[in-house]
Amino acid sequence: MITVTELKILADAQASYHILKPWWDVFWYYITMVMLMIAVLAGALQLTQSRMLCLPCKAEVGNHCAHPLDQVSIKINLSASSLRKTNPSRGIQNDLHRQQYAYIDAVCYEKQLHWFTKFFPYLVFLHTVIFAVCSNFWLHYPSTSSRLEHFVAILYKCFDSPWTTRALSETVAEQTMRNWTNKPSRRLTSEDTDARRQSVQHGVEGTAVEDDASSVLDKKEGEQAKALFEKVRKFRLHVEQKDIIYRLYLKQIVVKVIALLVIITYVSYFLMHITFEIDCKVDIEAFTGYKRYQCVYSLAAIFKVLATFYVLLVFLYGFACFYSLWWMLRSSLKQYSFEAVREKSHYSDIPDVQNDFAFILHLADQYDPLYSKRFSIFLSEVSENRLKQINLNNEWTVEMLRQKLTRNAKDKVELHLFMLSGVPDNVFELNEIEVMKLELIPDAKITPMITQLVNLKELHIYHSTLTVDLQALSFLADNLETLYLKFTSVEKIPSWIFLLKNLKELYLAGSIDNYSFAHIEGLQDLKNLTTLYLKTSIPRIPPVVMDMLPFLQKLSINNEGNRLLILISLKKMINLTSLELINCDLERIPHSIFSLTELREIDFRGNNFKTVEEIISFQHLPKLTCLKLWYNSIAYIPLQIGALANLEQLYINHNNIEIMPLQLFLCNKLRVLDLSHNNLNFIPDEIQLLKNLQYFAVTNNSVSITFQ
């Protein structure tokens, strides 16, 4: 037994697909219902009413049954030869028995009635089943039904989601604001002045509307909308790969067109065989005494009306089929564009879709274009990012963010945000922030609210995609002085960093090669840049650094153990005061640096120096006060070290030095001397000549006493 609940579930499942049925599908459905009613009515009449009424023919004239009274006139008017043609009936002269009549009716119905007349109700029923199957097969075929069921479920949730209503209301508000701003200027009232002042405080027009709308979405609804975005993304990825639904729907229509042509052809032909009077000639004279009978088919008239009406319905059904076929073939239904939605909303990133996804949306448009419009909200990354921002703001309150504030080694107030979905708007309420670090934040966005961070001078962006609003960029260009940027590839470097006109220090860490130098050509626009740090793997220093940054004072290159070549162009950077060539696989000190007379600090950490015979040339750098030769393979210190009279700091730790030359102690301005992690055996007493020495390290050597 099928329960009422099961029938209700089945009915609901069929009703849920109504948004995927265009007008012709609905038209087909109602015509199919009428056809089914015709089949039921004709079948009921055929089963309940008398089929045939037959009477015996007692006289035959010219192989036709004649009335018995006509025989008198025939005898009078016809010649003898004509009379011979009249064969008076022979046999039992009285009336037949009632059961004999029933027998005759049954025999004549089965043998003499045309098959189309007998099976007309069943043919209509069979045609109706064929049409119903051709119309609904795509809704139940496994490969298509799963996609359709998933789409309908998602579409209903997208349609009813509070986030959809909020996004569309924002669009309406934005259009209203745009229309308001495009109106001719008029005298501002006090209310207009207050509203405009509020807009300026938020940074952009319409921000106040967005903030008011955000209260519509609570935390639970935000999580549900977030889950919808993920479902839509996965559904699109799955459905756009194939066009199974499109091809199956097209095949159904083709099958229906072929079936229609066949049905119309043979039904129209056999329609004329439904007759009221039937001449029945059967060889049953031994049972009844007659061999010819005159019969009437009582349902012939109504069957002919029903058949005519049925043919009309088939023609209407065929019109809808041909129209649907024309609709399928006239345009590319495997491509769907949201151009109209993009023009009317601020979600300009809604992507066009293809294959089965596009075809389903075309079908939904035939029902109501509003469904596609509301569904498109969940295809937009801008919409998703706005939702993430609202959820983020609800999660990270001002109090929680204030607890994350710390003071770094430079005694600056620092905020470090790690692995968030974005930058909470509440961050911009903490105007005491001086340093902000954004790490592993995929969709970070800096809004005009950053203008409230008047103390912000330093920004760290570590493997994060940061989008900056135009007004926020103007603020950063005026206030930001230090920028740290880590990236996986040079293409990830945002172009807006080259517009930070007041930037003084730039730290870039990532992968750069010869073919990627074009991505950092914008460095030439940073006219106030004094410090550039490159931690990457490059075969040579980018030309833009040596040719277009003549006022650069500090250059630091960490080549991560790869050899750095072509250093002769370094001599162009005459304003350098600090040079760091770290992990550059250098074996000799580049001669080009001896032309940089402004150098005060040189760092050759982590190279392959075994000797530093070129140290005598450092005397051409009169301002050099700090020399770092640490983490190399230097075996000894050349005697010419004593020529560096202005040297104040010498780091030569982590090498293979065994002896300290006495000439080292001629550098009487030394304040810092680090000889730790070497192979020293003793320390000469002449070290006492270094009167200004404040820090001396000789740990991890073979000496027994360490002076410090």
Side-chain angles (χ1 to χ4, degrees), residues 103-139:
Y103 176 78
I104 296 169
D105 293 343
V107 172
C108 288
Y109 179 84
E110 293 297 335
K111 293 187 177 183
Q112 298 298 322
L113 188 64
H114 193 270
W115 67 267
F116 181 79
T117 308
K118 289 190 292 185
F119 298 106
F120 170 71
Y122 310 108
L123 292 175
V124 174
F125 180 78
L126 178 61
H127 299 163
T128 305
V129 171
I130 293 175
F131 291 149
V133 170
C134 291
S135 298
N136 296 280
F137 182 73
W138 71 303
L139 299 176

Side-chain angles (χ1 to χ4, degrees), residues 222-240:
E223 292 298 325
Q224 292 175 347
K226 183 179 178 181
L228 271 178
F229 273 104
E230 187 64 25
K231 289 181 179 179
V232 171
R233 185 183 297 107
K234 291 181 178 179
F235 177 78
R236 180 190 173 194
L237 182 64
H238 177 63
V239 176
E240 272 194 310

Side-chain angles (χ1 to χ4, degrees), residues 11-27 29-30 136 138-139 148 151-152 155-156 159 360 363-368 371:
D12 293 341
Q14 293 294 328
S16 64
Y17 290 113
H18 68 279
I19 59 175
L20 298 179
K21 293 185 175 182
W23 68 264
W24 54 83
D25 264 321
V26 178
F27 192 61
Y29 173 77
Y30 286 112
N136 296 280
W138 71 303
L139 299 176
L148 295 174
F151 173 77
V152 170
L155 185 61
Y156 279 130
F159 194 90
I360 295 174
L363 289 177
D365 276 350
Q366 294 294 320
Y367 180 81
D368 190 349
Y371 278 94

Side-chain angles (χ1 to χ4, degrees), residues 27-39 128 132 313:
F27 192 61
W28 288 337
Y29 173 77
Y30 286 112
I31 289 183
T32 304
M33 291 297 101
V34 176
M35 290 180 180
L36 184 61
M37 292 174 61
I38 291 176
T128 305
L313 291 178

Side-chain angles (χ1 to χ4, degrees), residues 16 65 158 203 213 407 485 538 598 601 686:
S16 64
C65 185
C158 292
R407 285 196 173 271
L485 181 62
I538 52 178
E598 297 296 323
E601 179 180 349
E686 285 78 4

Side-chain angles (χ1 to χ4, degrees), residues 198-241:
Q198 185 178 5
S199 298
V200 172
Q201 290 176 354
H202 284 284
V204 288
E205 291 184 350
T207 305
V209 175
E210 183 175 338
D211 291 343
D212 293 340
S214 63
S215 60
V216 177
L217 216 64
D218 58 23
K219 185 175 181 180
K220 182 179 179 181
E221 292 170 340
E223 292 298 325
Q224 292 175 347
K226 183 179 178 181
L228 271 178
F229 273 104
E230 187 64 25
K231 289 181 179 179
V232 171
R233 185 183 297 107
K234 291 181 178 179
F235 177 78
R236 180 190 173 194
L237 182 64
H238 177 63
V239 176
E240 272 194 310
Q241 296 176 353

Side-chain angles (χ1 to χ4, degrees), residues 178-399:
R178 190 183 300 117
N179 295 335
W180 179 75
T181 54
N182 290 335
K183 286 182 179 180
S185 60
R186 57 181 176 83
R187 186 174 181 179
L188 295 176
T189 63
S190 59
E191 294 180 357
D192 295 335
T193 305
D194 293 339
R196 179 165 295 184
R197 185 181 298 111
Q198 185 178 5
S199 298
V200 172
Q201 290 176 354
H202 284 284
V204 288
E205 291 184 350
T207 305
V209 175
E210 183 175 338
D211 291 343
D212 293 340
S214 63
S215 60
V216 177
L217 216 64
D218 58 23
K219 185 175 181 180
K220 182 179 179 181
E221 292 170 340
E223 292 298 325
Q224 292 175 347
K226 183 179 178 181
L228 271 178
F229 273 104
E230 187 64 25
K231 289 181 179 179
V232 171
R233 185 183 297 107
K234 291 181 178 179
F235 177 78
R236 180 190 173 194
L237 182 64
H238 177 63
V239 176
E240 272 194 310
Q241 296 176 353
K242 299 181 180 179
D243 58 349
I244 298 176
I245 299 177
Y246 173 82
R247 287 188 286 108
L248 184 59
Y249 193 84
L250 180 61
K251 290 177 181 178
Q252 286 185 172
I253 296 178
V254 172
V255 170
K256 277 193 282 190
V257 169
I258 295 174
L260 278 167
L261 295 176
V262 174
I263 291 171
I264 291 175
T265 301
Y266 90 86
V267 170
S268 301
Y269 175 77
F270 288 114
L271 180 63
M272 310 313 303
H273 289 76
I274 302 179
T275 57
F276 179 74
E277 294 184 355
I278 300 171
D279 186 13
C280 179
K281 185 177 180 181
V282 290
D283 190 12
I284 54 174
E285 188 175 356
F287 300 98
T288 62
Y290 304 95
K291 63 178 180 180
R292 183 180 291 274
Y293 302 88
Q294 190 69 23
C295 303
V296 294
Y297 184 48
S298 59
L299 299 178
I302 190 170
F303 270 23
K304 197 158 190 174
V305 172
L306 291 177
T308 304
F309 184 58
Y310 171 72
V311 172
L312 177 62
L313 291 178
V314 173
F315 272 105
L316 293 176
Y317 195 97
F319 166 76
C321 287
F322 281 105
Y323 178 85
S324 61
L325 183 61
W326 173 78
W327 179 76
M328 290 284 292
L329 299 178
R330 73 182 175 89
S331 59
S332 178
L333 298 180
K334 293 194 290 183
Q335 300 289 335
Y336 189 91
S337 175
F338 289 97
E339 184 65 30
V341 180
R342 290 194 291 263
E343 291 178 355
K344 295 180 181 179
S345 70
H346 53 266
Y347 298 123
S348 58
D349 66 323
I350 300 175
D352 295 338
V353 296
Q354 57 185 357
N355 287 334
D356 277 345
F357 199 3
F359 179 64
I360 295 174
L361 291 175
H362 279 294
L363 289 177
D365 276 350
Q366 294 294 320
Y367 180 81
D368 190 349
L370 183 60
Y371 278 94
S372 298
K373 182 178 180 180
R374 296 177 75 92
F375 189 81
S376 66
I377 300 300
F378 290 86
L379 292 171
S380 168
E381 290 186 7
V382 174
S383 175
E384 185 176 8
N385 291 336
R386 291 195 178 192
L387 174 64
K388 290 179 180 178
Q389 190 65 37
I390 292 177
N391 292 338
L392 194 65
N393 294 338
N394 292 335
E395 181 180 358
W396 290 92
T397 62
V398 176
E399 292 74 16

